[in-house]
Amino acid sequence: THTHYTQASIDAHIHATMVLGEPFSSDRPFDFSKQKTLSQIHGLIPTILEGRLTPPPEESYSVHRKWAGVFLLCAKMGSVFNCRPLLEDTLRDYQFTTSSTEGQQIDKTVAQ
């Protein structure tokens, strides 16, 4: 296992990532009002927390709050739209960079 997480926690993180990726997994519109994403993630939190041997990087908390906020907002608004083009555009335009020896990203620039 990774030195910061138990295998159960790693498996729960992988499952959570797959759940979060569901809106992007097809070219069909995703109905956020009928999604079970937040309840599925909520069910994984105890396993993730119990298996975490060290705290995650501080910036990950901000990312998690943003994801939860987006899903909640879209659910409240009853949003139904095709999310896959958003992912494809981001992957096409994003400029990946190298990391420093401390493991922090040097450049987080997104192509215009």
Side-chain angles (χ1 to χ4, degrees):
T1 61
H2 191 275
T3 58
H4 300 289
Y5 299 94
T6 64
Q7 188 60 49
S9 182
I10 291 170
D11 293 343
H13 275 92
I14 292 169
H15 186 83
T17 301
M18 298 303 290
V19 169
L20 286 173
E22 184 183 356
F24 306 97
S25 65
S26 77
D27 275 327
R28 287 177 274 131
F30 185 80
D31 187 345
F32 282 88
S33 68
K34 295 180 182 175
Q35 54 87 13
K36 304 248 187 279
T37 305
L38 297 175
S39 62
Q40 289 181 55
I41 297 296
H42 185 73
L44 294 169
I45 289 173
T47 303
I48 291 171
L49 293 178
E50 290 169 12
R52 184 175 68 200
L53 305 177
T54 60
E58 185 67 31
E59 60 271 9
S60 69
Y61 292 111
S62 176
V63 170
H64 294 154
R65 283 191 299 271
K66 288 177 184 178
W67 268 106
V70 166
F71 273 81
L72 282 171
L73 180 62
C74 288
K76 286 251 186 223
M77 294 174 53
S79 298
V80 178
F81 63 95
N82 185 355
C83 301
R84 187 166 188 121
L86 298 172
L87 174 65
E88 290 171 346
D89 291 347
T90 300
L91 291 174
R92 183 190 65 240
D93 296 340
Y94 188 78
Q95 293 181 356
F96 292 91
T97 60
T98 58
S99 297
S100 69
T101 56
E102 293 85 30
Q104 296 177 346
Q105 196 171 9
I106 296 170
D107 183 12
K108 298 177 183 177
T109 309
V110 175
Q112 297 299 326

